[in-house]
Amino acid sequence: MQETEVSARDIHISDGSEEEDSMQPDLFHEQHISNNEQMVEAFRNLLLLHGQLPAKHGDRNTLLRFLKMRDFDLGKAKDAFLNYMKWRVDSKVDMISKEFKYEEYGEVKRHYPHGFHKVDKSGRPIYIERLGMVDLNAFLKATTIERYVKYHIKEQEKTLSLRYPACSIASEKHVSSTTTILDVSGLGMSNFSKSARSLFMEIQKIDSNYYPETLHRLFVVNANSGFRMLWLALKTFLDARTLAKVQVLGPNYLGELLEAIDPRSSQFRLLVSLLEPETFTMGDADSEEHTMDKVSENASTNQKENSGKNMITLKKYASLRDAVKEAQKRIEMLEMSLHETKRAMNGLSEIIETIKPNQTETTNSQMQTGLDRKPIVRKMSGLS
Protein backbone atom coordinates (compact mmCIF):
# COMPACT_ATOMS: atom_id res chain seq x y z
CA MET A 1 0.00 0.00 0.00
CA GLN A 2 1.35 3.38 -0.92
CA GLU A 3 1.17 5.70 2.04
CA THR A 4 -0.46 9.05 1.44
CA GLU A 5 -0.44 12.09 3.67
CA VAL A 6 -3.80 12.95 5.21
CA SER A 7 -4.33 16.60 6.02
CA ALA A 8 -6.60 17.89 8.77
CA ARG A 9 -8.99 19.47 6.27
CA ASP A 10 -9.63 16.07 4.68
CA ILE A 11 -10.98 14.61 7.91
CA HIS A 12 -14.66 15.30 8.58
CA ILE A 13 -15.50 14.00 12.02
CA SER A 14 -17.87 14.85 14.83
CA ASP A 15 -17.13 17.73 17.16
CA GLY A 16 -14.53 17.21 19.85
CA SER A 17 -11.23 15.45 19.46
CA GLU A 18 -12.01 12.73 21.94
CA GLU A 19 -13.52 9.39 21.10
CA GLU A 20 -17.21 9.67 21.72
CA ASP A 21 -18.96 7.65 24.40
CA SER A 22 -22.60 7.07 23.52
CA MET A 23 -23.33 6.19 27.15
CA GLN A 24 -22.46 9.68 28.37
CA PRO A 25 -25.27 12.24 28.70
CA ASP A 26 -24.96 14.98 26.08
CA LEU A 27 -24.58 17.78 28.62
CA PHE A 28 -21.91 15.89 30.53
CA HIS A 29 -20.06 15.08 27.32
CA GLU A 30 -20.20 18.69 26.13
CA GLN A 31 -18.91 19.93 29.49
CA HIS A 32 -16.15 17.31 29.39
CA ILE A 33 -15.05 18.49 25.92
CA SER A 34 -15.23 22.13 26.99
CA ASN A 35 -13.02 21.48 30.02
CA ASN A 36 -10.49 19.63 27.89
CA GLU A 37 -10.43 22.45 25.35
CA GLN A 38 -9.69 24.96 28.10
CA MET A 39 -6.88 22.82 29.48
CA VAL A 40 -5.35 22.31 26.02
CA GLU A 41 -5.45 26.06 25.41
CA ALA A 42 -3.81 26.72 28.78
CA PHE A 43 -1.15 24.10 27.98
CA ARG A 44 -0.50 25.64 24.58
CA ASN A 45 -0.14 29.12 26.12
CA LEU A 46 2.27 27.78 28.73
CA LEU A 47 4.50 26.27 26.02
CA LEU A 48 4.28 29.45 23.94
CA LEU A 49 5.21 31.56 26.94
CA HIS A 50 8.46 29.61 27.28
CA GLY A 51 9.03 29.42 23.52
CA GLN A 52 8.69 25.63 23.55
CA LEU A 53 5.69 24.99 21.32
CA PRO A 54 6.88 23.21 18.15
CA ALA A 55 5.12 23.87 14.87
CA LYS A 56 4.84 20.21 13.86
CA HIS A 57 4.07 18.27 17.05
CA GLY A 58 2.17 20.88 19.05
CA ASP A 59 -1.25 19.93 17.68
CA ARG A 60 -4.25 19.68 19.94
CA ASN A 61 -4.45 15.88 20.03
CA THR A 62 -0.81 15.47 21.02
CA LEU A 63 -1.10 18.09 23.76
CA LEU A 64 -4.25 16.43 25.09
CA ARG A 65 -2.53 13.03 25.25
CA PHE A 66 0.26 14.44 27.44
CA LEU A 67 -2.24 16.28 29.61
CA LYS A 68 -4.12 13.03 30.24
CA MET A 69 -0.83 11.26 30.86
CA ARG A 70 -0.16 13.61 33.79
CA ASP A 71 -3.76 13.94 35.01
CA PHE A 72 -4.01 17.48 33.60
CA ASP A 73 -1.19 18.82 35.77
CA LEU A 74 0.22 21.53 33.48
CA GLY A 75 3.71 21.53 34.97
CA LYS A 76 4.13 17.75 34.81
CA ALA A 77 2.58 17.61 31.34
CA LYS A 78 5.04 20.25 30.16
CA ASP A 79 8.02 18.25 31.46
CA ALA A 80 6.73 15.05 29.82
CA PHE A 81 6.11 16.81 26.51
CA LEU A 82 9.55 18.42 26.43
CA ASN A 83 11.10 15.04 27.25
CA TYR A 84 9.15 13.63 24.29
CA MET A 85 10.43 16.33 21.94
CA LYS A 86 14.03 15.78 23.09
CA TRP A 87 13.65 12.03 22.49
CA ARG A 88 12.38 12.66 18.97
CA VAL A 89 15.50 14.67 18.17
CA ASP A 90 17.96 12.33 19.91
CA SER A 91 16.41 9.20 18.33
CA LYS A 92 15.92 10.83 14.92
CA VAL A 93 12.30 9.72 14.86
CA ASP A 94 11.37 11.72 11.74
CA MET A 95 14.21 10.09 9.83
CA ILE A 96 13.15 6.61 11.04
CA SER A 97 9.59 7.27 9.95
CA LYS A 98 10.63 8.34 6.45
CA GLU A 99 13.80 6.40 5.65
CA PHE A 100 14.07 3.29 7.83
CA LYS A 101 13.57 0.06 5.83
CA TYR A 102 12.85 -3.10 7.76
CA GLU A 103 14.00 -5.62 5.18
CA GLU A 104 13.71 -8.56 7.59
CA TYR A 105 10.02 -7.84 8.17
CA GLY A 106 8.76 -11.07 6.56
CA GLU A 107 11.19 -13.28 8.46
CA VAL A 108 10.42 -11.51 11.74
CA LYS A 109 6.68 -12.01 11.26
CA ARG A 110 7.19 -15.78 10.97
CA HIS A 111 8.83 -15.89 14.39
CA TYR A 112 6.81 -13.11 16.03
CA PRO A 113 3.22 -13.08 14.66
CA HIS A 114 1.63 -9.65 15.09
CA GLY A 115 -0.35 -7.11 13.12
CA PHE A 116 -3.43 -4.89 12.76
CA HIS A 117 -6.79 -6.39 11.75
CA LYS A 118 -9.87 -4.21 11.13
CA VAL A 119 -11.68 -2.26 13.88
CA ASP A 120 -13.75 -2.71 17.05
CA LYS A 121 -17.35 -1.56 17.67
CA SER A 122 -16.22 2.05 18.11
CA GLY A 123 -14.05 2.11 15.01
CA ARG A 124 -10.71 1.74 16.79
CA PRO A 125 -8.02 -0.33 15.03
CA ILE A 126 -7.48 -3.82 16.48
CA TYR A 127 -3.92 -4.98 17.06
CA ILE A 128 -3.09 -8.66 17.72
CA GLU A 129 0.04 -10.41 18.96
CA ARG A 130 0.55 -14.17 19.35
CA LEU A 131 3.19 -14.02 22.08
CA GLY A 132 2.83 -17.71 22.82
CA MET A 133 4.07 -18.48 19.30
CA VAL A 134 7.20 -16.31 19.48
CA ASP A 135 10.47 -18.13 18.71
CA LEU A 136 12.85 -15.71 20.40
CA ASN A 137 16.06 -17.38 19.24
CA ALA A 138 14.95 -17.37 15.60
CA PHE A 139 13.63 -13.82 16.04
CA LEU A 140 17.02 -12.58 17.28
CA LYS A 141 18.76 -14.30 14.38
CA ALA A 142 16.48 -12.51 11.93
CA THR A 143 16.84 -9.06 13.51
CA THR A 144 18.29 -7.18 16.46
CA ILE A 145 16.53 -5.51 19.37
CA GLU A 146 17.77 -2.12 18.14
CA ARG A 147 16.35 -2.63 14.64
CA TYR A 148 13.05 -3.98 15.97
CA VAL A 149 12.70 -0.94 18.22
CA LYS A 150 13.14 1.31 15.18
CA TYR A 151 10.49 -0.73 13.34
CA HIS A 152 8.17 -0.33 16.35
CA ILE A 153 8.69 3.44 16.37
CA LYS A 154 7.93 3.61 12.65
CA GLU A 155 4.70 1.64 13.21
CA GLN A 156 3.67 3.95 16.04
CA GLU A 157 4.23 6.98 13.83
CA LYS A 158 2.19 5.32 11.08
CA THR A 159 -0.63 4.66 13.51
CA LEU A 160 -0.77 8.32 14.54
CA SER A 161 -0.45 9.76 11.04
CA LEU A 162 -2.45 7.22 9.00
CA ARG A 163 -4.38 4.58 10.94
CA TYR A 164 -6.17 6.89 13.37
CA PRO A 165 -7.11 9.46 10.71
CA ALA A 166 -8.37 6.69 8.40
CA CYS A 167 -10.43 5.15 11.24
CA SER A 168 -11.77 8.60 12.14
CA ILE A 169 -12.96 9.15 8.57
CA ALA A 170 -14.54 5.68 8.38
CA SER A 171 -16.36 5.95 11.73
CA GLU A 172 -17.15 9.68 11.38
CA LYS A 173 -15.85 10.39 14.89
CA HIS A 174 -12.45 10.99 16.39
CA VAL A 175 -10.38 7.85 16.95
CA SER A 176 -7.10 8.14 18.87
CA SER A 177 -6.55 4.79 20.56
CA THR A 178 -6.18 1.08 19.83
CA THR A 179 -7.85 -2.11 21.09
CA THR A 180 -5.17 -4.75 21.58
CA ILE A 181 -5.43 -8.53 21.92
CA LEU A 182 -2.45 -10.53 23.22
CA ASP A 183 -2.67 -14.31 22.89
CA VAL A 184 -0.34 -15.73 25.55
CA SER A 185 -1.17 -19.42 25.09
CA GLY A 186 1.75 -21.47 26.42
CA LEU A 187 3.63 -18.42 27.72
CA GLY A 188 5.23 -18.62 31.17
CA MET A 189 8.17 -17.59 33.33
CA SER A 190 10.57 -19.70 31.25
CA ASN A 191 9.88 -17.44 28.23
CA PHE A 192 10.90 -14.27 30.07
CA SER A 193 14.61 -14.50 29.31
CA LYS A 194 17.10 -11.64 29.58
CA SER A 195 16.63 -10.76 25.89
CA ALA A 196 12.84 -10.88 26.24
CA ARG A 197 13.00 -8.61 29.30
CA SER A 198 15.24 -6.17 27.47
CA LEU A 199 12.88 -5.94 24.50
CA PHE A 200 9.76 -5.70 26.68
CA MET A 201 11.19 -2.92 28.85
CA GLU A 202 12.42 -0.89 25.87
CA ILE A 203 9.05 -1.10 24.07
CA GLN A 204 7.18 -0.35 27.29
CA LYS A 205 9.37 2.69 27.96
CA ILE A 206 8.76 4.07 24.47
CA ASP A 207 5.01 3.51 24.50
CA SER A 208 4.48 4.87 28.03
CA ASN A 209 6.68 7.95 27.76
CA TYR A 210 6.35 8.97 24.11
CA TYR A 211 3.03 7.55 22.86
CA PRO A 212 0.81 7.89 25.95
CA GLU A 213 -2.95 7.40 25.96
CA THR A 214 -2.99 5.45 22.68
CA LEU A 215 -4.17 2.21 24.30
CA HIS A 216 -7.93 1.98 24.77
CA ARG A 217 -8.16 -1.58 26.08
CA LEU A 218 -5.89 -4.63 26.28
CA PHE A 219 -7.27 -8.18 26.29
CA VAL A 220 -4.79 -10.84 27.38
CA VAL A 221 -6.32 -14.17 26.32
CA ASN A 222 -5.50 -17.84 26.91
CA ALA A 223 -3.69 -16.99 30.14
CA ASN A 224 -2.74 -20.15 32.04
CA SER A 225 -1.30 -20.49 35.55
CA GLY A 226 2.23 -20.11 34.16
CA PHE A 227 1.43 -16.77 32.56
CA ARG A 228 -0.36 -15.52 35.67
CA MET A 229 2.89 -16.00 37.58
CA LEU A 230 4.70 -14.09 34.83
CA TRP A 231 2.04 -11.39 34.93
CA LEU A 232 2.87 -10.66 38.56
CA ALA A 233 6.36 -9.69 37.37
CA LEU A 234 5.28 -7.85 34.21
CA LYS A 235 2.69 -5.65 35.88
CA THR A 236 5.35 -4.04 38.07
CA PHE A 237 6.66 -2.32 34.92
CA LEU A 238 3.27 -0.84 34.01
CA ASP A 239 1.81 2.41 35.30
CA ALA A 240 -1.57 2.50 37.02
CA ARG A 241 -3.35 4.07 34.03
CA THR A 242 -2.22 1.23 31.75
CA LEU A 243 -3.02 -1.49 34.30
CA ALA A 244 -6.58 -0.21 34.54
CA LYS A 245 -7.02 -0.95 30.82
CA VAL A 246 -5.73 -4.55 30.99
CA GLN A 247 -8.01 -7.57 31.30
CA VAL A 248 -6.35 -10.97 31.78
CA LEU A 249 -8.56 -13.84 30.56
CA GLY A 250 -8.28 -17.60 30.33
CA PRO A 251 -9.37 -19.77 27.38
CA ASN A 252 -13.04 -18.73 27.73
CA TYR A 253 -12.45 -15.20 26.49
CA LEU A 254 -14.98 -14.91 23.66
CA GLY A 255 -17.73 -13.50 25.87
CA GLU A 256 -15.49 -10.60 26.88
CA LEU A 257 -14.46 -9.87 23.29
CA LEU A 258 -18.14 -9.60 22.41
CA GLU A 259 -18.21 -6.45 24.53
CA ALA A 260 -15.70 -4.78 22.20
CA ILE A 261 -16.23 -6.41 18.80
CA ASP A 262 -19.49 -6.97 16.93
CA PRO A 263 -20.06 -10.78 16.75
CA ARG A 264 -21.97 -10.34 13.47
CA SER A 265 -18.98 -8.79 11.73
CA SER A 266 -16.63 -10.74 9.49
CA GLN A 267 -13.66 -9.39 11.42
CA PHE A 268 -14.89 -11.04 14.63
CA ARG A 269 -15.17 -14.42 12.95
CA LEU A 270 -11.70 -13.95 11.55
CA LEU A 271 -10.34 -12.87 14.92
CA VAL A 272 -11.72 -16.07 16.41
CA SER A 273 -10.01 -18.13 13.71
CA LEU A 274 -6.80 -16.13 14.13
CA LEU A 275 -6.69 -17.04 17.80
CA GLU A 276 -7.31 -20.73 17.16
CA PRO A 277 -4.16 -22.90 17.33
CA GLU A 278 -2.26 -23.45 14.06
CA THR A 279 -4.59 -21.26 11.99
CA PHE A 280 -3.01 -17.88 12.72
CA THR A 281 -1.52 -15.91 9.84
CA MET A 282 -0.64 -12.26 9.58
CA GLY A 283 -0.66 -10.22 6.41
CA ASP A 284 2.01 -7.81 5.26
CA ALA A 285 1.90 -4.49 7.13
CA ASP A 286 1.58 -2.57 3.87
CA SER A 287 -1.58 -4.45 2.93
CA GLU A 288 -3.09 -4.98 6.34
CA GLU A 289 -6.41 -3.36 5.45
CA HIS A 290 -6.93 -6.02 2.77
CA THR A 291 -5.94 -9.02 4.87
CA MET A 292 -9.31 -9.80 6.40
CA ASP A 293 -11.20 -9.40 3.14
CA LYS A 294 -8.77 -11.69 1.33
CA VAL A 295 -9.01 -14.33 4.02
CA SER A 296 -12.80 -14.17 3.87
CA GLU A 297 -12.92 -14.32 0.06
CA ASN A 298 -10.46 -17.20 -0.18
CA ALA A 299 -11.92 -19.24 2.67
CA SER A 300 -12.45 -22.91 1.89
CA THR A 301 -15.72 -24.73 2.46
CA ASN A 302 -14.37 -26.20 5.68
CA GLN A 303 -13.37 -22.77 6.94
CA LYS A 304 -16.85 -21.44 6.20
CA GLU A 305 -18.38 -24.37 8.06
CA ASN A 306 -16.06 -23.68 10.96
CA SER A 307 -17.11 -20.02 10.89
CA GLY A 308 -20.74 -21.16 11.12
CA LYS A 309 -19.88 -23.33 14.09
CA ASN A 310 -18.03 -20.43 15.66
CA MET A 311 -21.11 -18.23 15.28
CA ILE A 312 -23.27 -20.89 16.96
CA THR A 313 -20.73 -21.06 19.76
CA LEU A 314 -20.71 -17.27 20.05
CA LYS A 315 -24.50 -17.21 20.31
CA LYS A 316 -24.29 -19.73 23.13
CA TYR A 317 -21.65 -17.58 24.81
CA ALA A 318 -23.83 -14.51 24.42
CA SER A 319 -26.88 -16.32 25.84
CA LEU A 320 -24.86 -17.72 28.72
CA ARG A 321 -23.33 -14.34 29.42
CA ASP A 322 -26.77 -12.69 29.52
CA ALA A 323 -28.09 -15.45 31.80
CA VAL A 324 -25.15 -15.03 34.16
CA LYS A 325 -25.62 -11.24 34.26
CA GLU A 326 -29.33 -11.68 35.02
CA ALA A 327 -28.51 -14.18 37.77
CA GLN A 328 -25.96 -11.77 39.21
CA LYS A 329 -28.57 -9.00 39.27
CA ARG A 330 -31.01 -11.27 41.13
CA ILE A 331 -28.32 -12.28 43.60
CA GLU A 332 -27.50 -8.62 44.20
CA MET A 333 -31.19 -7.87 44.79
CA LEU A 334 -31.46 -10.79 47.22
CA GLU A 335 -28.33 -9.62 49.03
CA MET A 336 -29.78 -6.13 49.30
CA SER A 337 -33.06 -7.55 50.60
CA LEU A 338 -31.19 -9.71 53.11
CA HIS A 339 -29.16 -6.70 54.20
CA GLU A 340 -32.33 -4.67 54.75
CA THR A 341 -33.90 -7.56 56.67
CA LYS A 342 -30.84 -7.77 58.90
CA ARG A 343 -31.03 -4.04 59.55
CA ALA A 344 -34.73 -4.36 60.44
CA MET A 345 -34.03 -7.29 62.77
CA ASN A 346 -31.21 -5.38 64.46
CA GLY A 347 -33.53 -2.42 64.93
CA LEU A 348 -36.21 -4.66 66.39
CA SER A 349 -33.69 -6.18 68.79
CA GLU A 350 -32.71 -2.72 69.96
CA ILE A 351 -36.36 -1.83 70.57
CA ILE A 352 -36.90 -5.04 72.54
CA GLU A 353 -33.83 -4.32 74.65
CA THR A 354 -35.10 -0.80 75.26
CA ILE A 355 -38.60 -1.79 76.41
CA LYS A 356 -37.51 -4.87 78.45
CA PRO A 357 -36.90 -2.89 81.72
CA ASN A 358 -40.32 -1.25 81.33
CA GLN A 359 -41.91 -4.67 81.07
CA THR A 360 -40.12 -5.77 84.27
CA GLU A 361 -41.27 -2.68 86.12
CA THR A 362 -44.82 -3.25 84.90
CA THR A 363 -44.74 -6.87 86.04
CA ASN A 364 -43.41 -5.91 89.49
CA SER A 365 -46.11 -3.26 89.78
CA GLN A 366 -48.79 -5.76 88.88
CA MET A 367 -47.42 -8.25 91.41
CA GLN A 368 -47.38 -5.61 94.14
CA THR A 369 -50.95 -4.61 93.32
CA GLY A 370 -51.98 -8.25 93.61
CA LEU A 371 -50.40 -8.51 97.07
CA ASP A 372 -52.15 -5.34 98.24
CA ARG A 373 -55.50 -6.73 97.18
CA LYS A 374 -55.19 -10.07 99.05
CA PRO A 375 -56.16 -8.71 102.57
CA ILE A 376 -59.17 -6.95 101.11
CA VAL A 377 -60.28 -10.15 99.48
CA ARG A 378 -59.95 -12.01 102.82
CA LYS A 379 -61.98 -9.33 104.62
CA MET A 380 -64.72 -9.43 102.03
CA SER A 381 -64.84 -13.23 102.19
CA GLY A 382 -65.19 -12.98 106.07
CA LEU A 383 -68.22 -10.71 105.79
CA SER A 384 -70.01 -13.17 103.69
Side-chain angles (χ1 to χ4, degrees):
M1 179 186 72
Q2 184 178 0
E3 296 184 1
T4 56
E5 294 295 329
V6 181
S7 65
R9 63 176 178 273
D10 295 325
I11 303 175
H12 304 286
I13 58 179
S14 55
D15 188 30
S17 295
E18 294 198 62
E19 297 171 66
E20 294 182 352
D21 185 352
S22 59
M23 299 300 291
Q24 289 183 324
D26 291 341
L27 290 177
F28 176 83
H29 185 60
E30 291 176 4
Q31 182 64 38
H32 184 62
I33 292 175
S34 177
N35 291 341
N36 285 347
E37 291 295 337
Q38 293 175 15
M39 290 301 298
V40 169
E41 189 61 26
F43 190 21
R44 179 179 285 112
N45 290 336
L46 176 64
L47 293 172
L48 280 171
L49 182 64
H50 292 84
Q52 296 168 327
L53 181 66
K56 186 175 181 181
H57 301 287
D59 61 281
R60 175 201 187 283
N61 296 328
T62 300
L63 297 182
L64 182 58
R65 286 195 295 111
F66 281 91
L67 279 169
K68 288 181 177 180
M69 174 190 184
R70 292 294 181 251
D71 294 321
F72 291 89
D73 184 309
L74 288 174
K76 292 180 179 179
K78 172 176 170 285
D79 292 340
F81 179 76
L82 295 181
N83 183 47
Y84 162 69
M85 294 306 302
K86 183 178 184 302
W87 169 78
R88 292 191 68 92
V89 174
D90 293 344
S91 301
K92 301 178 180 178
V93 174
D94 290 339
M95 185 178 296
I96 291 174
S97 181
K98 294 178 181 179
E99 300 179 7
F100 178 70
K101 303 296 181 182
Y102 200 51
E103 292 88 356
E104 62 268 41
Y105 170 80
E107 184 70 14
V108 166
K109 275 298 185 74
R110 280 194 287 273
H111 308 302
Y112 181 8
H114 64 280
F116 281 89
H117 287 279
K118 294 292 183 176
V119 297
D120 66 11
K121 284 182 179 179
S122 298
R124 302 181 188 90
I126 299 172
Y127 176 74
I128 306 174
E129 285 192 6
R130 288 294 301 273
L131 293 179
M133 294 179 64
V134 174
D135 184 339
L136 188 60
N137 291 330
F139 169 80
L140 291 175
K141 287 180 181 178
T143 190
T144 64
I145 291 179
E146 181 182 2
R147 283 185 60 78
Y148 184 82
V149 167
K150 287 184 177 181
Y151 159 73
H152 180 76
I153 292 172
K154 184 170 184 175
E155 286 296 295
Q156 287 286 53
E157 292 292 300
K158 182 178 178 181
T159 296
L160 291 177
S161 63
L162 289 174
R163 292 188 179 105
Y164 289 158
C167 288
S168 297
I169 292 171
S171 62
E172 297 184 340
K173 60 184 177 184
H174 187 77
V175 173
S176 60
S177 61
T178 303
T179 292
T180 298
I181 303 173
L182 300 184
D183 181 5
V184 297
S185 179
L187 199 65
M189 288 296 295
S190 60
N191 303 93
F192 203 43
S193 64
K194 183 178 179 180
S195 298
R197 289 196 301 272
S198 178
L199 179 59
F200 170 81
M201 293 176 68
E202 185 63 24
I203 295 298
Q204 174 59 25
K205 173 187 173 183
I206 290 171
D207 290 351
S208 296
N209 294 333
Y210 312 128
Y211 299 98
E213 298 301 317
T214 55
L215 174 66
H216 170 68
R217 199 170 178 186
L218 171 59
F219 294 98
V220 179
V221 303
N222 287 322
N224 56 21
S225 57
F227 174 80
R228 292 180 187 277
M229 291 294 293
L230 175 59
W231 176 240
L232 293 176
L234 293 177
K235 65 193 300 185
T236 61
F237 298 101
L238 304 178
D239 59 82
R241 294 181 71 88
T242 300
L243 279 174
K245 301 173 183 179
V246 180
Q247 193 167 3
V248 180
L249 307 169
N252 300 321
Y253 56 82
L254 293 180
E256 299 296 335
L257 292 189
L258 284 171
E259 299 289 339
I261 305 166
D262 188 347
R264 296 167 297 180
S265 64
S266 60
Q267 57 259 42
F268 187 80
R269 294 196 297 272
L270 181 60
L271 283 173
V272 172
S273 66
L274 288 176
L275 294 172
E276 289 296 324
E278 300 181 0
T279 63
F280 183 85
T281 57
M282 281 292 187
D284 187 278
D286 290 336
S287 60
E288 64 195 30
E289 71 276 14
H290 303 300
T291 301
M292 300 185 71
D293 293 334
K294 287 182 178 179
V295 171
S296 178
E297 292 171 2
N298 298 328
S300 64
T301 302
N302 289 336
Q303 287 175 318
K304 290 180 180 179
E305 290 177 356
N306 289 335
S307 295
K309 292 177 182 178
N310 283 333
M311 286 307 296
I312 293 173
T313 303
L314 293 177
K315 288 180 181 178
K316 289 181 179 179
Y317 267 104
S319 299
L320 181 60
R321 180 199 62 193
D322 293 340
V324 169
K325 286 185 176 180
E326 183 63 27
Q328 288 175 336
K329 288 181 180 179
R330 292 183 180 181
I331 291 172
E332 289 174 359
M333 292 178 65
L334 288 172
E335 288 178 343
M336 290 177 62
S337 177
L338 179 60
H339 180 67
E340 292 298 322
T341 302
K342 286 182 178 179
R343 287 181 59 187
M345 291 298 292
N346 290 336
L348 183 59
S349 296
E350 292 176 0
I351 293 174
I352 291 173
E353 291 297 322
T354 301
I355 67 175
K356 187 180 292 184
N358 294 335
Q359 287 180 328
T360 303
E361 291 174 3
T362 302
T363 302
N364 291 336
S365 176
Q366 290 174 345
M367 290 176 64
Q368 184 62 42
T369 302
L371 291 173
D372 293 341
R373 287 177 177 177
K374 284 181 180 180
I376 298 174
V377 172
R378 291 193 188 99
K379 289 178 182 181
M380 290 181 67
S381 61
L383 291 174
S384 62

